Amino acid sequence: METVQADFAFFDPKPSDFHGVRLLLKTYLDSKPWDLTGFVDLILEQTTVGTVVKMAEDEEDGNDGEANGSDGGDNEDLFGLITVLNLGRYGENRCIKDLKDYLLGVCGDKDTKKKLRALLEEKASTVGLLVCRRFVNFPYEMVPKMYDSLFDEVSWATEDEPTQELQDSFRFKQYLLVVRIFERKTPPKQKSKGNKDIDEPVIYSKLEDEIFRELSSWSFTFPIRAEQSAQQELKNYREMGLVMCVKAEAIPKFCKKLEALVSE
Amino acid sequence: MATRIQFENNCEVGVFSKLTNAYCLVAIGGSENFYSTFESELADVIPVVKTSIGGTRIIGRLCVGNKNGLLLPHTTTDQELQHLRNCLPDQVVVQRIDERLSALGNCISCNDHVALTHPDLDKATEELIADVLGVEVFRQTIAGNILVGSYCAFSNRGGLVHPHTSIEDLDELSTLLQVPLVAGTVNRGSEVIAAGMTVNDWTAFCGSDTTATELSVIESVFKLREGQPTAIVDDMRKSLIDSYV
């Protein structure tokens, strides 16, 4: 087996990251068309809070007089993205309207829907949509750092943003997350010798989502209509969407638990 | 006329469809919108056929065809092959070929007269292409890329190639293909032309992220605009001339 040395770096989002970010967000909501492009543009415009993870730039490559256009084509590969968007501040953007309609549409339970509606409407200005997307093989060592950098940027923004209004827009009281999980379709089989099938009731694509769910005030799942993964190990599982509401006070606890999980 | 569409929030419409002058293939899924957009543009003229190839939806990248024939990779199932043979017009020869480079759509780009292929394509495949598709075959690269099927799209009237293609290469390719070529992008700066759009002699479908400028370049080089050439020249003149001295 060959080991590859890779250096990753965190960057502020910029317009040339459009294609990389779009690729990561393609499956954020289901297959139903929504203003994904607008959503990507929104994330890229918010440079004070938000991080993209790319390969660290090589000193030599940067100065090559390549015919590669203004952005030095090589560095277009995005491996991860993390950001938080204030649902009140961006409430008039079409992408956020589409997102709110979508979430209200897929929420089955009446009581949860009431709480969700309150979050998306009356309380929107204190709610941050936390978006974290990355490739499946993204090294876990970097994940706590991604979240740390996000929450640091949020706290700096409450002091550094140019207007009081903008500063306040980062004083989130709750975070809303939309993630994917796999739920077991069939009841658990009898454990026979040599049965290598995974048997967990729920598989989290991103391990930290399990921590978020434990700490969440409420959450709900909804079925995904897009084509399911053909992976052999997941044949007994169904992909579901999971929406969670996490109070801002729970974040320090989250960071501690995440750190502990990753250092295992 | 060029139409902007998307497949399940995916602007890579050239991945999920294959358009020729005699038929159009469309992937299954992606909400009825995708299929019905093709249908409404093409229904009375050519058949629009829903299909998968090798059980996948990336049909545009796996097959290559023109009005004379359709070449499919070895991963195509017997049912898919039969389905295509049944649905396509009789004069279109549908053939499954045994080529190691199975993403035929990425390796080969063609119109009704000429084909450009990946430099490492099998000699036997090259002969089959010439035979089934009735074209002259040229092994080429585009802006240094061997996946010629991905980085250019051309019809019998014009072509769009990778934005970093040099002027010399453009001239050489234009001579080979005998059509005007332009180096450009699709889907807001994407260089993978053939993934972002699909085109025939009278219409084109581009991903919904394609900007107005990109669309106008596409409509112009593929000669898709209704009206006389002079109308196009007048149009361009208005945007080029700032003031009359």
Side-chain angles (χ1 to χ4, degrees):
Chain A
M1 207 162 54
E2 214 188 294
T3 343
V4 178
Q5 191 67 20
D7 290 319
F8 294 93
F10 290 5
F11 297 92
D12 284 340
K14 53 188 207 286
S16 57
D17 294 328
F18 177 78
H19 290 284
V21 172
R22 198 186 196 285
L23 182 65
L24 286 172
L25 290 170
K26 218 170 268 199
T27 53
Y28 186 60
L29 300 184
D30 208 345
S31 48
K32 183 169 160 213
W34 66 294
D35 187 20
L36 172 60
T37 300
F39 191 60
V40 175
D41 284 335
L42 199 62
I43 290 176
L44 297 177
E45 274 161 24
Q46 191 179 273
T47 50
T48 48
V49 172
T51 296
V52 295
V53 184
K54 300 194 266 203
M55 298 293 280
E57 264 162 27
D58 246 6
E59 301 270 304
E60 304 100 82
D61 280 355
N63 293 326
D64 257 351
E66 302 164 332
N68 260 354
S70 48
D71 59 75
D74 273 358
N75 222 2
E76 258 186 47
D77 289 333
L78 244 79
F79 292 88
L81 155 81
I82 191 166
T83 189
V84 62
L85 300 172
N86 184 305
L87 289 181
R89 175 180 176 190
Y90 299 115
E92 289 307 299
N93 292 64
R94 205 185 115 209
C95 56
I96 298 298
K97 285 189 176 147
D98 283 352
L99 181 111
K100 287 182 180 178
D101 287 340
Y102 176 80
L103 292 180
L104 287 168
V106 292
C107 182
D109 179 68
K110 231 172 28 155
D111 292 322
T112 319
K113 200 166 185 170
K114 255 199 230 130
K115 294 186 203 160
L116 177 65
R117 195 180 286 278
L119 217 65
L120 298 178
E121 289 169 11
E122 303 96 71
K123 301 193 199 163
S125 55
T126 61
V127 179
L129 180 74
L130 205 164
V131 181
C132 179
R133 307 279 291 181
R134 52 189 196 256
F135 286 138
V136 182
N137 53 355
F138 191 84
Y140 263 101
E141 294 94 324
M142 289 196 283
V143 175
K145 298 198 171 38
M146 276 179 96
Y147 282 96
D148 284 343
S149 93
L150 180 76
F151 295 120
D152 281 343
E153 283 189 317
V154 166
S155 114
W156 296 334
T158 61
E159 290 163 7
D160 296 341
E161 287 285 354
T163 68
Q164 181 67 38
E165 197 184 346
L166 281 177
Q167 287 174 15
D168 290 341
S169 76
F170 287 102
R171 292 184 217 281
F172 299 113
K173 292 218 182 90
Q174 5 229 8
Y175 290 99
L176 189 67
L177 288 93
V178 183
V179 302
R180 295 283 179 95
I181 56 172
F182 291 91
E183 274 185 354
R184 192 172 47 216
K185 276 193 274 201
T186 53
K189 292 207 249 317
Q190 293 292 78
K191 273 263 192 247
S192 56
K193 237 199 266 199
N195 181 356
K196 293 212 178 65
D197 283 347
I198 316 170
D199 221 13
E200 300 286 321
V202 181
I203 296 178
Y204 293 87
S205 325
K206 294 174 7 248
L207 298 181
E208 71 271 20
D209 291 340
E210 187 167 13
I211 307 175
F212 273 127
R213 199 177 190 182
E214 276 168 26
L215 299 171
S216 64
S217 323
W218 51 263
S219 67
F220 69 89
T221 59
F222 58 92
I224 294 291
R225 282 150 75 214
E227 206 176 77
Q228 302 283 314
S229 157
Q231 280 178 289
Q232 184 54 20
E233 306 91 57
L234 296 172
K235 64 180 193 289
N236 293 326
Y237 287 81
R238 210 207 146 138
E239 194 172 17
M240 304 283 282
L242 169 65
V243 178
M244 306 182 272
C245 171
V246 179
K247 284 209 177 68
E249 297 103 61
I251 294 301
K253 207 169 179 184
F254 163 78
C255 291
K256 268 215 200 76
K257 285 193 168 201
L258 178 64
E259 191 69 57
L261 182 69
V262 168
S263 48
E264 265 170 36
Chain B
M1 258 303 287
T3 316
R4 284 191 187 99
I5 66 178
Q6 58 178 355
F7 181 92
E8 285 186 7
N9 293 310
N10 212 312
C11 287
E12 270 76 63
V13 300
V15 170
F16 300 101
S17 63
K18 179 62 79 176
L19 177 65
T20 70
N21 288 324
Y23 55 88
C24 178
L25 304 181
V26 172
I28 299 167
S31 91
E32 276 311 295
N33 255 351
F34 191 69
Y35 175 74
S36 59
T37 310
F38 281 99
E39 263 275 286
S40 65
E41 276 292 313
L42 305 167
D44 299 324
V45 196
I46 57 176
V48 181
V49 181
K50 275 195 203 178
T51 186
S52 60
I53 294 182
T56 73
R57 305 183 305 176
I58 53 170
I59 62 175
R61 304 294 87 219
L62 295 180
C63 71
V64 62
N66 60 15
K67 71 168 165 50
N68 302 317
L70 173 68
L71 291 174
L72 299 165
H74 61 85
T75 51
T76 314
T77 67
D78 292 337
Q79 296 93 313
E80 289 163 349
L81 185 59
Q82 197 51 50
H83 170 65
L84 286 166
R85 287 209 169 116
N86 290 342
C87 295
L88 296 184
D90 291 331
Q91 68 268 24
V92 177
V93 179
V94 181
Q95 179 101 341
R96 181 171 50 192
I97 67 178
D98 214 355
E99 162 63 55
R100 179 185 61 96
L101 300 172
S102 55
L104 301 176
N106 284 341
C107 299
I108 307 158
S109 190
C110 71
N111 61 12
D112 294 332
H113 309 287
V114 189
L116 298 181
T117 72
H118 189 296
D120 301 334
L121 214 65
D122 236 22
K123 197 72 178 96
T125 307
E126 194 181 313
E127 282 161 17
L128 265 166
I129 297 172
D131 204 34
V132 173
L133 301 183
V135 294
E136 212 181 331
V137 182
F138 298 103
R139 286 170 191 262
Q140 277 290 320
T141 60
I142 298 202
N145 285 300
I146 51 181
L147 294 177
V148 293
S150 306
Y151 291 102
C152 75
F154 59 98
S155 68
N156 297 322
R157 312 186 72 194
L160 185 66
V161 302
H162 189 291
H164 300 143
T165 311
S166 65
I167 308 277
E168 298 82 42
D169 283 355
L170 261 179
D171 282 340
E172 189 189 330
L173 285 169
S174 192
T175 315
L176 279 178
L177 303 176
Q178 290 294 293
V179 296
L181 295 179
V182 139
T185 60
V186 71
N187 280 332
R188 215 164 129 167
S190 170
E191 304 166 338
V192 196
I193 309 295
M197 63 173 286
T198 189
V199 60
N200 69 7
D201 285 352
W202 68 86
T203 192
F205 297 88
C206 308
S208 50
D209 278 348
T210 308
T211 65
T213 314
E214 289 169 335
L215 210 67
S216 108
V217 169
I218 287 166
E219 285 185 335
S220 146
V221 76
F222 289 105
K223 304 196 176 49
L224 302 174
R225 284 201 192 112
E226 269 113 39
Q228 302 305 308
T230 48
I232 299 171
V233 172
D234 281 341
D235 236 82
M236 281 173 64
R237 189 173 280 143
K238 283 193 205 114
S239 59
L240 291 172
I241 298 177
D242 227 20
S243 62
Y244 292 94
V245 173

